[in-house]
Amino acid sequence: MVPALQDVALIRFKEKVVLKRGKPIYLRDLCYLYVPQHTRERLQQMVIYHPQEHDGNYLVIDILWVLQKLQEVVPQLEIEYVGANRIIVEMEVKRRRMQPLFVVLVWLLLFFGSGMAIMNFHTDVSMHQVHQKLYHLIMGEKEARPLLIQIPYSIGIGVGMILFFNHLFRKRINDEPSPLEVEMFLYDQNVKQYLAVHEKPVNKQENPQ
């Protein structure tokens, strides 16, 4: 017999889950739920796992284990799921407040490091000679220090970096993600894919509760 529409539950794992350490993991934390109204509250309050000290910063939870727990709580429901078979739960790590001296040292390191990289690149491509030739072509005279070209060029480098990274301090210029944000997203996806393949789900660890 085909189950009635009100007896069908649809679930789908969320894309990203970050939870506080030491708190129980509820079904509502892991999944988007489409369930009958009379079981919604009970399923949302359903505890899937109690994180342990030895679990580390990442937990892998398998959909089959979630489905098994759902069948134990609401055996009358026809449960269907869509999406990934496993979800990576990241446990929130307390961030230490950065010391001002550390911030200044990192800023100086990045400032002088990026400056050295730009200067070395310009030396490799003979940028100074290029500016001299451009000045000679435009102005019709030779100049050892063509500041008329060098100053706008230097300003353009800074503006170009701001546009490239799409940030001015903490303010985003437009809604497009910056290349750095895209690379960080890809790195995060690769880490989660690796964990999903190589880490044991919590239901297969030694001491799950």
Side-chain angles (χ1 to χ4, degrees), residues 12-69:
R12 177 169 66 88
F13 276 147
K14 296 180 179 179
E15 294 293 331
K16 183 176 182 179
V17 177
V18 181
L19 301 176
K20 291 184 178 180
R21 189 179 299 274
K23 299 293 182 67
I25 300 176
Y26 295 93
L27 180 65
R28 66 174 183 267
D29 297 327
L30 303 177
C31 305
Y32 298 108
L33 302 173
Y34 176 79
V35 295
Q37 190 64 36
H38 63 277
T39 60
R40 182 182 300 275
E41 184 66 24
R42 182 168 36 157
L43 293 182
Q44 287 182 341
Q45 298 299 326
M46 175 181 169
V47 177
I48 297 297
Y49 186 69
H50 292 275
Q52 308 297 311
E53 289 293 334
H54 59 79
D55 286 330
N57 295 331
Y58 295 95
L59 299 175
V60 181
I61 297 180
D62 196 285
I63 187 63
L64 295 179
W65 192 43
V66 175
L67 293 177
Q68 180 181 352
K69 285 184 169 292

Side-chain angles (χ1 to χ4, degrees), residues 2-187:
V2 178
L5 182 60
Q6 63 269 20
D7 295 328
V8 176
L10 300 177
I11 65 172
R12 177 169 66 88
F13 276 147
K14 296 180 179 179
E15 294 293 331
K16 183 176 182 179
V17 177
V18 181
L19 301 176
K20 291 184 178 180
R21 189 179 299 274
K23 299 293 182 67
I25 300 176
Y26 295 93
L27 180 65
R28 66 174 183 267
D29 297 327
L30 303 177
C31 305
Y32 298 108
L33 302 173
Y34 176 79
V35 295
Q37 190 64 36
H38 63 277
T39 60
R40 182 182 300 275
E41 184 66 24
R42 182 168 36 157
L43 293 182
Q44 287 182 341
Q45 298 299 326
M46 175 181 169
V47 177
I48 297 297
Y49 186 69
H50 292 275
Q52 308 297 311
E53 289 293 334
H54 59 79
D55 286 330
N57 295 331
Y58 295 95
L59 299 175
V60 181
I61 297 180
D62 196 285
I63 187 63
L64 295 179
W65 192 43
V66 175
L67 293 177
Q68 180 181 352
K69 285 184 169 292
L70 281 171
Q71 285 291 342
E72 294 173 358
V73 175
V74 282
Q76 73 278 9
L77 284 183
E78 178 75 17
I79 302 172
E80 299 180 5
Y81 78 94
V82 293
N85 295 327
R86 289 183 176 181
I87 186 173
I88 307 298
V89 179
E90 182 178 350
M91 308 309 296
E92 194 174 49
V93 179
K94 292 183 179 179
R95 296 184 177 180
R96 297 181 180 179
R97 186 177 181 182
M98 291 190 297
Q99 300 296 326
L101 179 60
F102 178 75
V103 175
V104 172
L105 290 176
V106 172
W107 184 87
L108 290 174
L109 178 64
L110 294 174
F111 178 79
F112 287 106
S114 58
M116 291 294 295
I118 293 173
M119 287 188 292
N120 289 333
F121 167 75
H122 287 168
T123 300
D124 290 339
V125 299
S126 302
M127 186 62 70
H128 182 67
Q129 287 80 359
V130 172
H131 286 170
Q132 289 177 333
K133 291 180 180 179
L134 285 175
Y135 186 88
H136 179 65
L137 290 173
I138 296 172
M139 306 300 295
E141 58 184 22
K142 293 185 178 180
E143 176 63 48
R145 300 177 61 187
L147 299 180
L148 189 63
I149 292 179
Q150 290 178 338
I151 293 176
Y153 175 78
S154 300
I155 296 174
I157 291 178
V159 174
M161 293 300 292
I162 292 174
L163 295 176
F164 181 78
F165 287 106
N166 198 24
H167 276 81
L168 181 60
F169 298 104
R170 294 187 176 182
K171 186 177 181 180
R172 184 188 293 271
I173 298 175
N174 54 52
D175 294 334
E176 292 183 4
S178 68
L180 182 60
E181 290 172 327
V182 173
E183 288 300 322
M184 291 300 296
F185 173 79
L186 293 176
Y187 172 78

